[in-house]
Amino acid sequence: MNGIDAWGFATDGPEPAGTHRDRTPAPTAGPGRAMPTRTEPRPRTAGPRPAACEAPDPQRTARAALTRILEPGDETTGRWLREMGPEALWHTLSDDDADLPTGASPAKIAGLRLRATRAHPTADLDAVTALGGRFICPGDDEWPGQLDDLGDARPIGLWVRGTANLRLWALRSVAVVGARACTEYGAHLAATLGAGLADRGWTVVSGAAYGVDGAAHRGTLAADGATIAVMASGVDHPYPRGHTELIGRIAGQGLVVAELPPGDHPTRSRFIQRNRVIAALTRGTVVVEAELRSGSLVTARRAQTLGRFTMGMPGPVTSGLSAGVHQLLRGEAAVVTDADEVIELVGSIGDLAPERQGQTRIRDLLDPVAALVLEALPARGTADTGHLAQEAGTPREVTRAKLFELLSLGFVQRCGDRWELARRAEARGGSRRGGT
């Protein structure tokens, strides 16, 4: 049977025949939908590539080829993959004489067959191995099962750089997304949130873009935490180019994940489809600054349809970069302000955020009658006991007793037969907090 190495990867070993089956789900709008029976042979478990003397796994090779032919998130081709299996679909798209899939248009097939001429899966698998990466498929031990919630839009497979186990890291993960042209406020929030989640042992997932994404990754890395960058390009094609160093750091300390094979480039539609992977991979999505038309809102709304938690960090109501977040918060999203509040939503029972309350002052601890007498004292000048009793609505004897209590606590001082406020009483209530 397979074992587990020090990194949590499956190691190759003798396997009982017929034990590996591929889990290819039927179309579903989210968790809770019925899954079909397993019909497709399961690929090998993720881990080191087979040695040259071993026969390549045809299922894995076929899926690697299809990542270069099919567009991410295409539910039509995803249905063909589910119905036909990866080997049969690759053969259909590679052979001009093969029968068309059910309901396929000749024009679509012609375009895909043209793409199939550029598919060289063995070269792609060798390329990712040379990077120290791997290609994982549905059904592998490292495959995150929550991606199956995407139904026919599920990734064909994932190209991965980094030594950690993707499935294990994704079990406790949160997506942090937001505006590319974020403000200093948004960058500060994202970096602080990333560091806070890292301190609590959570993985931060984002898209390695400029702005909020990059700040979230950097905050997590600075806290020596776990972070995953989901790319809209190949894992060896850093995008944006200005984040080449950051993406390299993520590959060294965390994970870089992509649906596209090595060397492939991003397009506008691939950014949108990348967002569905971020939403499905994590327990919840936090949006930090977003305009009304923002890809971050696409991620958040996809998370909602998948039954994940959707959260937003509010900003100034006068800022256009907060307008999208505020619109989200008027719907089903929850307001969060720090990592503790995020984990309270996505974590286990008992992961509660600390209770929030203002600074406690000494006068808050006074009994109700003493508080009435204290309020009766004039802001300036003095007053006698009779006047104070009348203002407070308490008997003279009770008023006198409470005045002496207040004197002992430093709230008032005596001036002969009259009383006045002690000017430094509130200064004894506690240390001053920055910004107050």
Side-chain angles (χ1 to χ4, degrees):
M1 298 297 290
N2 288 356
I4 302 295
D5 66 16
W7 294 104
F9 295 133
T11 56
D12 292 334
E15 306 176 68
T19 57
H20 279 191
R21 308 292 292 175
D22 186 18
R23 300 176 294 168
T24 308
T28 174
R33 294 286 298 274
M35 303 291 283
T37 56
R38 298 175 181 173
T39 58
E40 181 185 326
R42 177 182 175 182
R44 295 170 58 85
T45 56
R49 287 282 315 282
C53 61
E54 298 181 17
D57 181 357
Q59 295 282 335
R60 188 175 303 280
T61 302
R63 284 185 175 271
L66 291 172
T67 63
R68 192 162 294 274
I69 301 170
L70 309 181
E71 277 297 306
D74 186 334
E75 295 192 37
T76 299
T77 56
R79 175 174 58 82
W80 299 344
L81 177 60
R82 170 172 53 83
E83 293 173 348
M84 302 174 62
E87 290 181 89
L89 180 57
W90 184 26
H91 172 72
T92 296
L93 299 179
S94 303
D95 186 352
D96 292 340
D97 297 325
D99 294 333
L100 301 184
T102 303
S105 70
K108 186 177 183 72
I109 292 297
L112 294 176
R113 282 176 172 168
L114 187 62
R115 277 189 167 188
T117 60
R118 69 179 189 180
H120 302 288
T122 302
D124 287 337
L125 290 168
D126 289 341
V128 78
T129 300
L131 292 171
R134 57 202 175 278
F135 179 64
I136 64 174
C137 302
D140 285 349
D141 289 342
E142 197 185 351
W143 181 261
Q146 58 267 41
L147 293 179
D148 299 343
D149 293 342
L150 291 169
D152 285 340
R154 179 181 69 171
I156 300 165
L158 290 175
W159 303 86
V160 182
R161 286 178 64 192
T163 57
N165 185 297
L166 177 60
R167 181 181 67 83
L168 296 181
W169 272 27
L171 290 176
R172 285 168 54 90
S173 64
V174 174
V176 180
V177 296
R180 285 176 171 82
C182 68
T183 65
E184 290 184 7
Y185 167 82
H188 173 73
L189 285 183
T192 302
L193 181 59
L197 289 168
D199 287 340
R200 296 285 298 273
W202 284 75
T203 302
V204 174
V205 180
S206 198
Y210 290 131
V212 167
D213 288 19
H217 287 306
R218 288 189 182 93
T220 307
L221 292 171
D224 199 26
T227 189
I228 300 173
V230 182
M231 307 292 291
S233 59
V235 294
D236 63 339
H237 186 88
Y239 190 90
R241 291 296 187 183
H243 276 179
T244 299
E245 180 190 6
L246 174 62
I247 294 169
R249 289 177 59 201
I250 295 171
Q253 185 173 323
L255 290 171
V256 176
V257 177
E259 294 182 79
L260 297 168
D264 225 335
H265 63 278
T267 63
R268 183 180 297 274
S269 64
R270 289 171 176 178
F271 282 114
I272 298 298
Q273 293 301 330
R274 179 270 306 274
N275 293 343
R276 87 191 193 287
V277 177
I278 294 176
L281 191 64
T282 54
R283 289 197 188 182
T285 296
V286 184
V287 182
V288 182
E289 288 197 325
E291 294 182 297
L292 291 173
R293 287 177 57 84
S294 170
S296 303
L297 300 183
V298 174
T299 308
R301 287 167 182 149
R302 193 60 182 263
Q304 285 181 340
T305 64
L306 292 168
R308 310 294 197 261
F309 291 98
T310 306
M311 298 153 279
M313 302 189 82
V317 296
T318 55
S319 172
L321 284 170
S322 295
V325 180
H326 295 162
Q327 183 185 63
L328 195 67
L329 293 174
R330 294 186 66 188
E332 298 180 8
V335 175
V336 292
T337 60
D338 60 19
D340 288 331
E341 292 178 354
V342 172
I343 295 170
E344 184 176 61
L345 288 174
V346 303
S348 304
I349 295 175
D351 286 337
L352 300 178
E355 184 180 353
R356 313 291 184 182
Q357 62 181 15
Q359 181 182 10
T360 300
R361 300 178 181 273
I362 295 177
R363 66 186 306 155
D364 297 333
L365 306 177
L366 296 174
D367 67 75
V369 177
L372 283 174
V373 174
L374 183 59
E375 291 292 333
L377 281 155
R380 290 183 177 85
T382 62
D384 60 30
T385 305
H387 176 77
L388 295 175
Q390 186 178 33
E391 290 293 321
T394 55
R396 184 184 180 90
E397 296 77 11
V398 173
T399 302
R400 181 179 177 81
K402 293 302 178 183
L403 285 167
F404 278 104
E405 289 181 13
L406 294 170
L407 176 64
S408 65
L409 293 172
F411 284 100
V412 301
Q413 57 191 24
R414 192 175 182 184
C415 302
D417 293 333
R418 303 177 70 83
W419 301 86
E420 66 177 355
L421 291 173
R423 299 302 174 192
R424 293 179 294 177
E426 284 299 336
R428 304 177 188 178
S431 59
R432 183 178 181 274
R433 298 182 63 184
T436 59

